[in-house]
Amino acid sequence: MAEQRNHHFVPKFYFRNFSEDGTRIHLLHRSSGRIIPNAPIKGQCAKHSLYGPTEMEQFISQLEASFSSAIRDAIHTAWNPENFKMTDDCVFTLRQAALFQRNRTIHEADKSFAMMESSALEVFKYHLRTAPDINDRETIIKAIEDGSITLERDDTWLVMMPLSRTFEATVLIMDLPVWLIRNHTDLPFLFGDAPVILYNSHYRNVTSRGVLGLQTPGLQIFFPLDARTMLLMMDGK
């Protein structure tokens, strides 16, 4: 297996669920507003050697195979309820797939790094203010505050750390019933570079703290499976 290959943080099988020919997909570049019709799936939502060693890439590929199978069974069940294929194992795998996909994206790595960098630099500033015998104390503090000093970023570590907790975290959403939403409109479901969306309509007006914890009351997890089918995990009461 070639080194420095592209590692997809949104897998190719998932792209194919939204593709007409299995190889291309229409894209919208959000920052520029540019529309790119018929863009090749290969290379989208990917980064060179994101998952590190070849062994880890192979392990993730095996997981993706089981996730893809569970998603196919869910789509089949949504549109063929008389031929139900969503076993308990399938539902459990879908829960894992949603959390795994949530945690593996560069978007999540960006958020994690921002929080870690902010915390680490605040701790370092406290050290600079209180430790004895530090030359140019105020100069260093000013450099931190104006952004001249930053932490070195390792995307592989930022992605793999939350992924390592995915399977333990699955138990935290076992109380959320699984729903399948069928799209009968002319407008297809879309997805972005972070396809799994966490939302909380119950606490939507709360801004003083986070409301997307996996055991926060009112949590909703949206996971589009293809252009016509959505997986939703939420309390239906």
Side-chain angles (χ1 to χ4, degrees):
M1 191 171 295
E3 296 293 332
Q4 295 297 322
R5 62 174 299 174
N6 271 350
H7 291 171
H8 290 260
F9 52 88
V10 178
K12 288 185 288 185
F13 83 77
Y14 186 78
F15 272 87
R16 286 192 287 268
N17 286 354
F18 296 81
S19 170
E20 294 180 358
D21 64 0
T23 62
R24 297 178 181 276
I25 195 167
H26 303 316
L27 300 180
L28 168 65
H29 194 267
R30 289 181 300 174
S31 60
S32 66
R34 180 186 173 204
I35 296 175
I36 308 172
N38 296 312
I41 289 174
K42 181 180 179 181
Q44 305 300 334
C45 293
K47 189 175 187 298
H48 280 301
S49 295
L50 179 61
Y51 301 127
T54 298
E55 292 78 11
M56 183 56 66
E57 180 190 5
Q58 293 172 338
F59 174 67
I60 290 176
S61 294
Q62 293 172 358
L63 289 175
E64 288 178 353
S66 66
F67 295 159
S68 177
S69 177
I71 288 173
R72 285 197 305 270
D73 286 347
I75 294 171
H76 175 88
T77 298
W79 297 96
N80 303 277
E82 72 285 351
N83 186 13
F84 199 85
K85 290 189 175 184
M86 286 181 64
T87 64
D88 289 343
D89 285 345
C90 175
V91 173
F92 184 78
T93 301
L94 289 169
R95 296 182 192 277
Q96 286 187 331
L99 292 187
F100 195 84
Q101 181 56 63
R102 170 76 176 183
N103 288 333
R104 72 188 294 185
T105 64
I106 298 298
H107 176 71
E108 285 299 301
D110 289 342
K111 292 196 300 182
S112 297
F113 181 71
M115 289 187 291
M116 287 189 294
E117 182 178 50
S118 176
S119 298
L121 291 178
E122 282 300 317
V123 170
F124 186 46
K125 281 165 58 178
Y126 178 81
H127 168 74
L128 290 171
R129 290 190 176 107
T130 58
D133 303 325
I134 294 181
N135 297 326
D136 298 324
R137 186 191 312 267
E138 294 303 322
T139 301
I140 300 173
I141 292 174
K142 183 177 182 303
I144 293 173
E145 292 177 341
D146 67 18
S148 299
I149 294 179
T150 59
L151 299 186
E152 184 175 354
R153 173 169 169 155
D154 183 342
D155 279 344
T156 297
W157 185 86
L158 287 169
V159 169
M160 296 310 297
M161 282 300 292
L163 283 187
S164 68
R165 299 190 293 267
T166 293
F167 303 107
E168 295 176 359
T170 302
V171 69
L172 301 178
I173 59 170
M174 292 298 290
D175 62 327
L176 296 179
V178 171
W179 305 76
L180 291 173
I181 299 175
R182 296 185 295 186
N183 184 355
H184 293 280
T185 75
D186 294 330
L187 300 175
F189 289 136
L190 306 177
F191 72 95
D193 54 3
V196 177
I197 305 301
L198 270 59
Y199 186 66
N200 195 322
S201 56
H202 181 66
Y203 287 133
R204 61 183 176 274
N205 295 322
V206 175
T207 59
S208 59
R209 61 180 177 86
V211 298
L212 301 180
L214 296 183
Q215 290 198 302
T216 304
L219 179 68
Q220 299 156 304
I221 302 176
F222 296 86
F223 188 13
L225 304 181
D226 66 9
R228 298 194 305 152
T229 318
M230 174 88 72
L231 179 73
L232 170 62
M233 285 178 274
M234 62 173 287
D235 190 342
K237 296 179 181 179

